Amino acid sequence: MLTYKEAVDLILRTVVPLAAEDLPLGDALGRVLAEPVTARWDLPPADNSAMDGYAFPFAGQEAGCELRVAGFLPAGASHETSLAEGEAIKIMTGAPLPAGSDTVVPIEDVKASGGTIRLERTPKAGQHVRRRGEELQAGETVLPAGTPLHSGEMGILAAAGAQRVRVVRTPRVALLSTGDELVELGQTPGPGQIVNSNYHLLAARLQEEGCTVIPLGIARDERGGLGARIARGLEADVLMTTGGVSVGDRDHVQETLVAQGFELGFWKVAIKPGKPLLFGRCGSTLVFGLPGNPAASAATFELFARPALRRLAGHGDPLQPRLAVTLTTAVSGGEKRQRFLWGTLAERDGRYLFTPSGRQGSGQNRSIQGSQALLPVPGGSGEISAGSEVEVLLLRLPPGAAIPA
Ligand SMILES: Nc1nc2c(c(=O)[nH]1)N[C@H]1C(S)=C(S)[C@@H](COP(=O)(O)OP(=O)(O)OC[C@H]3O[C@@H](n4cnc5c(N)ncnc54)[C@H](O)[C@@H]3O)O[C@H]1N2
Ligand code: MOO
Ligand SMILES: [Mg+2]
C-alpha cells in the first residue's frame, strides 16, 4: 500500500495543466496565468506629481524664496513649454511634470499671492515626484505563469495594459455518487436509506476550487447503471465518484471503470480515513474513486484531489501550506496507518493553537464542519501530548491571518 506522500507524488507526476485560453481580464478572476504577462508601457508613464502643489526646476531654493506661477496643470493634462529657473506651475496629484521641472512642493508648504508663491520650508531636490517606470518598465514581467488571479492581480494587470490574459482552462469535474442506500436531498429517506450528503460537500468544494461541476446523480450498486453514468463522466476532465471502492460485495466502481479502459494509478493508501481511495485515468480523464464514508471522501478530496485539481488549473504550488501549531489536547497513538485529524485553529500570543474536532468517525460529517486544518499523525506513533508543537495542513485561512494586529 502506498503512503500519503508516495500517492501524492504519483498524482503530481501524472497530472499536467489543462490547455490555455485567452480571456478578457474581467472574466479571468480565479484563473491561473498560463503565460507570463509583460507590461505594455512604463508605469508611471511619465514623471508625475505625488502631491497637489507646485512643480519647479530645483536650483537650491530655500524657505523664503519666491517663484512665479506660470500656469495650472491638473491630472490628465500636459504642459507644452518648459519651465525656466524661478518659475513654478500649479500641479495636481498625478499630473506629468512639465519639462524643466523636477521638484514639487505641497500646497500646505507655500504662501500664494497674486501670481507668485513663497516657499515656507526648504525643499529637497526631486521631492514628491513619482518617477517614470518606477513601478514597472515596458516589457518587464508583471506576473509569472502559475500566478492565480485575485483582486490584487487584477489591479496591476489592468494598469500594465493586459486587456486579455492567457489563462488555464477551468477543470470540468463530473461528480457521481454511488450507493443503493442513497436518496437525493428533498426525498425522505426510507428504511436503510440516507441522504446523498457527499455530493453536497464535494460540489461545494469543487466550486470553491473554481471547477465546473457536472452532476451525474446517484448510480445504484449494479454494473449496468453504474457503467452508463461512468461513461458520461469520462467526457469530463475529471471523474470523481464516491462509494463502492472498498472490498464489499456491492463495491463495483473499479471493475466498471476497468471495463471502460481504466488505467490504475493506485488503489488504497495507508491512511485513515480514506484507505480505499482509487486513482487512475481513462484516456485523458483523471479518475478519483473516493471512499463513501463522508469523512473519508472529504479527506481524500483535500489530500489527493485538491493537488490534482490545482495542478490541472495551472497553479505553481498545488499543495496545502503547512503551519506550525501547538496542540491543545492530547492525540492518542497506536494506529498503524497514518491518520489525518480534522480540527480548528485559534490564535493566542502570536501562535496558532490546533484543536482536533471531537468526533473523527469516518462515517460522520461532524468533524469536517468548521475545520480549518488537517493534522497528519504518523502511523505507529505513540500518544502526542497536549502542548506539543506539530505541523498541520492548512485548508483555509486561520483566524486573524489576513488582518495584522
Ligand atoms: N472488510 C472491509 N470493509 C471495509 C474496509 C476494508 O478495508 N475492509 N474499508 C472501510 C473503509 S476504511 C471505508 S472508507 C469504507 C469505504 O467504502 P466504499 O468506498 O466502498 O463506500 P460504500 O461501501 O459505498 O459506503 C461506505 C459508507 O459510506 C456511506 N456513503 C456512501 N456514499 C455516500 C454519500 N454519497 N453520502 C453519504 N454517505 C455515503 C455509505 O452509506 C456507507 O455507510 O469501507 C469500509 N469497509
Ligand atoms: O478510510 Mo475509512 O475512511 O478509514 O473509514
Ligand atoms: Mg463499500
Side-chain angles (χ1 to χ4, degrees), residues 4 29 46 50 52 58 70 72-73 84 117 121 131 144 156 159-160 199-200 203 221 229 274 303 321 333:
Y4 158 65
L29 183 64
D52 300 322
F58 186 80
F72 173 66
L73 194 52
I117 52 166
R121 302 164 65 141
R131 296 277 165 216
I156 191 160
Y199 171 80
H200 292 274
D221 292 320
R229 286 180 202 250
L303 296 171

Side-chain angles (χ1 to χ4, degrees), residues 181 221 243-252 276 291-293:
E181 74 281 28
D221 292 320
V245 290
S246 189
V247 293
D249 294 10
R250 293 280 172 90
D251 292 340
H252 299 313
N293 278 327

Side-chain angles (χ1 to χ4, degrees), residues 62-67 69 105 107 109-113 116-121:
E62 296 182 341
C65 282
E66 295 207 339
L67 297 167
V69 179
V105 283
I107 279 175
D109 290 355
V110 305
K111 231 194 190 103
S113 65
T116 64
I117 52 166
R118 201 180 73 226
L119 305 185
E120 304 268 88
R121 302 164 65 141

Side-chain angles (χ1 to χ4, degrees), residues 209-381:
E209 290 296 322
C211 299
T212 302
V213 180
I214 303 165
L216 294 182
I218 298 169
R220 298 300 157 204
D221 292 320
E222 49 84 21
R223 294 176 182 89
L226 194 53
R229 286 180 202 250
I230 282 177
R232 273 179 57 207
L234 294 179
E235 289 163 18
D237 300 311
V238 178
L239 167 62
M240 190 172 284
T241 63
T242 70
V245 290
S246 189
V247 293
D249 294 10
R250 293 280 172 90
D251 292 340
H252 299 313
V253 169
Q254 186 164 190
E255 59 185 273
T256 310
L257 282 165
V258 167
Q260 301 196 30
F262 179 67
E263 295 165 58
L264 180 69
F266 60 80
W267 180 39
K268 294 187 179 172
V269 189
I271 57 167
K272 184 179 177 173
K275 181 178 83 171
L277 173 68
L278 176 67
F279 168 75
R281 57 192 321 152
C282 277
S284 61
T285 303
L286 293 175
V287 180
F288 283 91
L290 307 184
N293 278 327
S297 67
T300 49
F301 180 93
E302 300 300 343
L303 296 171
F304 305 100
R306 184 196 111 127
L309 294 168
R310 292 218 171 187
R311 171 60 55 84
L312 278 181
H315 287 266
D317 184 4
L319 294 176
Q320 285 91 356
R322 287 171 176 262
L323 183 70
V325 297
T326 307
L327 256 189
T328 59
T329 57
V331 168
S332 62
E335 291 273 353
K336 241 175 45 206
R337 284 183 268 161
Q338 178 176 32
R339 277 177 301 158
F340 288 88
L341 302 184
W342 301 92
T344 54
L345 296 164
E347 199 249 35
R348 190 186 305 151
D349 303 332
R351 290 276 316 166
Y352 283 108
L353 309 178
F354 178 79
T355 306
S357 306
R359 294 185 233 170
Q360 300 278 343
S362 182
Q364 301 196 7
N365 270 294
R366 270 207 170 274
S367 52
I368 312 157
Q369 186 276 319
S371 279
Q372 293 152 319
L374 279 171
L375 171 68
V377 182
S381 65

Side-chain angles (χ1 to χ4, degrees), residues 128-181:
H128 303 309
V129 175
R130 306 190 285 213
R131 296 277 165 216
R132 171 176 181 165
E134 73 179 18
E135 182 174 12
L136 279 172
Q137 296 193 353
E140 187 181 336
T141 299
V142 185
L143 295 171
T147 305
L149 302 183
H150 305 300
S151 49
E153 286 70 35
M154 294 296 166
I156 191 160
L157 288 174
Q163 190 188 351
R164 298 181 74 84
V165 283
R166 200 149 176 80
V167 290
V168 179
R169 198 160 67 62
T170 297
R172 289 175 298 118
V173 182
L175 192 48
L176 174 62
S177 308
T178 74
D180 289 334
E181 74 281 28

